[in-house]
């Protein structure tokens, strides 16, 4: 008989445990990792890689259960579940942190603030992020990494070319107050809808449109229920890989280095994957022939910027002018002159 590793494990399992140390038989620490996207989206793939690496680097002392597609919790519920300790890992969009009582992350939704990779990376690498992290830590939430998923495009059931086209449209937004202000400034009616309910909301006309990254539009098949796509790059989708602080700090010392390594490598994988997947998704959506694409011209973009910059001023009331200026500086954003 060939003595395979599986056979060895089978025999080991059948051997009485007398004399073996407790540690050898302790149940693994379970990390439940809940998320709302497809296993094929960059976040879904990175979560699965994290599972594989975390289990390998901790020699099985940790077991990771990944729950994709809102199968365990939806947007708001998963944050509550993390705080309660019912789930240990999430990677939500940072535009959804408002319900935690942390409003500062909404600032990243200021229109056109981080539309290109350079500004987004500068922001995430800036020392200012330590202040943002502290806000989460005060709520019992520990950020382990940021995963930048690129710039948003709009989809809708009618073409969105000029700002006026949004007039009266019911637009789905994530939770952020800035996104609400953006929709209102465009003359649209904003509606917060959990990502897991979005396909149906678009299909049944509860909302007329939404904004997202192409890899989500592709993996959620929004092209089946939306006819038009505008490459507008007006905002950005950033995730934070977060855990429950008490859980994290209570981990045995021999487990943490393996998990740190798994976090670092899955973050690198996410960075290597996200941009590529967004480009590929646009091609894949185009190939279905189900959506009409429009890329904003320079003049159209100027009109969008002129329409939406007042949201920056309006939000000084919410965040303070100094705070917004500090974010401009950290990201390298220069407000366009009128
Ligand atoms: C959304 O809610 O539109 C997205 O942020 C979902 C996600 O996590 O990518």
């Amino acid at each position: 008989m060939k003595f395979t590793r599986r056979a060895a494990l089978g025999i080991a399992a059948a051997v009485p445990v007398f004399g073996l140390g407790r540690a050898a038989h302790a149940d693994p620490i379970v990390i439940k990792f809940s998320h709302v996207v497809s296993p094929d989206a960059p976040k879904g793939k990175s979560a699965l890689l994290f599972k594989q690496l975390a289990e390998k680097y901790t020699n099985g002392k940790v077991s990771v259960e990944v729950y994709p597609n809102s199968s365990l919790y939806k947007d708001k519920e998963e944050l509550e579940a993390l705080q309660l300790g019912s789930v240990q890992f999430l990677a939500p969009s940072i535009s959804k942190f408002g319900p935690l009582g942390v409003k500062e992350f909404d600032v990243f939704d200021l229109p056109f603030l981080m539309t290109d990779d350079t500004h987004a990376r500068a922001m995430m690498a800036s020392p200012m992020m330590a202040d943002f992290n502290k806000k989460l830590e005060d709520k019992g939430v520990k950020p382990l990494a940021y995963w930048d998923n690129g710039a948003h495009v709009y989809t809708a059931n009618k073409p969105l070319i000029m700002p006026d086209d949004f007039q009266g449209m019911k637009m789905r937004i994530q939770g952020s107050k800035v996104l609400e202000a953006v929709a209102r400034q465009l003359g649209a009616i904003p509606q917060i809808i959990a990502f897991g309910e979005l396909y149906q909301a678009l299909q049944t006309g509860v909302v007329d449109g939404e904004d997202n990254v192409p890899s989500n539009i592709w993996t959620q098949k929004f092209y089946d229920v939306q006819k038009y796509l505008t490459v507008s790059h007006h905002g950005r989708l950033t995730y934070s890989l977060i855990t429950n602080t008490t859980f994290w700090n209570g981990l045995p010392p021999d487990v943490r280095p393996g998990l740190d390594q798994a976090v670092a490598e899955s973050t690198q994988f996410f960075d290597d994957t996200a941009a590529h997947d967004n480009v590929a998704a646009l091609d894949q959506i185009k190939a279905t022939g189900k959506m009409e694409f429009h890329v904003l011209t320079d003049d159209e973009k100027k009109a969008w910027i002129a329409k939406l910059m007042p949201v920056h001023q309006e939000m000084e009331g919410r965040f303070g002018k100094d705070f917004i200026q500090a974010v401009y500086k950290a990201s390298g954003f220069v407000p366009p002159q009128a």
Side-chain angles (χ1 to χ4, degrees):
M1 179 186 136
K2 213 170 146 209
F3 197 68
T4 60
R5 186 165 171 272
R6 182 171 296 194
L9 288 173
I11 290 165
V15 168
V17 294
F18 309 128
L20 290 178
R22 192 186 165 280
H25 289 276
D27 287 338
I29 296 162
V30 175
I31 292 181
K32 289 187 181 177
F33 188 158
S34 164
H35 69 78
V36 300
V37 300
S38 155
D40 297 327
K43 176 161 56 183
K45 292 192 246 183
S46 303
L48 288 173
L49 179 67
F50 172 77
K51 167 184 167 62
Q52 202 187 317
L53 297 175
E55 292 175 353
K56 178 169 138 199
Y57 293 151
T58 62
N59 296 316
K61 288 187 185 130
V62 166
S63 165
V64 181
E65 297 170 3
V66 179
Y67 298 90
N69 266 328
S70 311
S71 52
L72 200 54
Y73 300 109
K74 294 185 187 143
D75 291 344
K76 198 160 164 276
E77 300 157 5
E78 68 173 15
L79 288 169
E80 287 162 9
L82 186 86
Q83 284 182 301
L84 290 171
S86 317
V87 66
Q88 289 71 37
F89 264 54
L90 307 174
S93 155
I94 60 177
S95 307
K96 294 176 182 169
F97 283 156
L100 286 175
V102 180
K103 67 175 185 186
E104 286 77 4
F105 283 85
D106 289 6
V107 79
F108 298 125
D109 289 321
L110 285 174
F112 299 102
L113 174 73
M114 299 197 301
T115 51
D116 60 45
D117 296 355
T118 314
H119 289 128
R121 298 222 171 108
M123 185 68 232
M124 291 303 139
S126 95
M128 203 181 171
M129 288 314 292
D131 301 335
F132 283 91
N133 291 345
K134 174 84 176 49
K135 299 282 173 198
L136 288 176
E137 280 158 19
D138 290 347
K139 303 291 175 190
V141 173
K142 172 128 191 92
L144 300 172
Y146 288 93
W147 292 354
D148 170 26
N149 202 4
H152 274 134
V153 302
Y154 272 108
T155 67
N157 55 17
K158 63 169 253 201
L160 298 172
I161 315 290
M162 294 299 278
D164 279 355
D165 296 328
F166 285 86
Q167 202 62 44
M169 297 276 284
K170 291 173 283 170
M171 297 301 289
R172 179 268 178 168
I173 57 162
Q174 305 181 62
S176 151
K177 293 284 180 215
V178 175
L179 295 177
E180 190 180 321
V182 168
R184 290 203 192 285
Q185 174 68 11
L186 289 166
I189 303 147
Q191 212 159 311
I192 298 173
I193 292 173
F195 188 67
E197 291 166 0
L198 185 49
Y199 182 94
Q200 209 186 355
L202 293 166
Q203 187 179 38
T204 55
V206 169
V207 283
D208 302 311
E210 58 93 46
D211 59 345
N212 232 303
V213 290
S215 58
N216 272 341
I217 296 165
W218 170 244
T219 52
Q220 295 294 319
K221 301 189 168 58
F222 291 161
Y223 53 82
D224 275 339
V225 288
Q226 294 274 270
K227 182 104 188 62
Y228 299 93
L229 186 152
T230 305
V231 179
S232 47
H233 293 172
H234 56 283
R236 197 135 192 122
L237 179 57
T238 308
Y239 304 132
S240 183
L241 182 65
I242 52 178
T243 186
N244 176 302
T245 310
T246 311
F247 166 77
W248 191 248
N249 291 343
L251 285 170
D254 60 337
V255 154
R256 270 287 292 280
L259 291 184
D260 286 338
Q261 184 63 21
V263 166
E265 286 183 32
S266 356
T267 298
Q268 186 59 51
F269 172 81
F270 187 94
D271 286 349
D272 295 342
T273 307
H276 166 269
D277 279 15
N278 277 328
V279 173
L282 280 181
D283 288 342
Q284 286 159 313
I285 298 165
K286 232 180 234 168
T288 66
K290 292 183 174 175
M291 293 191 94
E292 276 181 36
F293 275 49
H294 179 76
V295 181
L296 290 186
T297 64
D298 287 350
D299 281 349
E300 288 158 2
K301 189 145 229 178
K302 270 189 202 141
W304 284 51
I305 291 172
K307 180 75 182 176
L308 288 173
M309 277 313 288
V311 174
H312 287 237
Q313 280 92 57
E314 182 190 336
M315 286 297 136
E316 287 174 3
R318 182 166 176 79
F319 300 114
K321 194 171 174 164
D322 290 350
F323 180 74
I324 292 184
Q325 290 296 328
V327 169
Y328 285 177
K329 193 153 174 262
S331 62
F333 176 75
V334 180
Q337 300 305 310

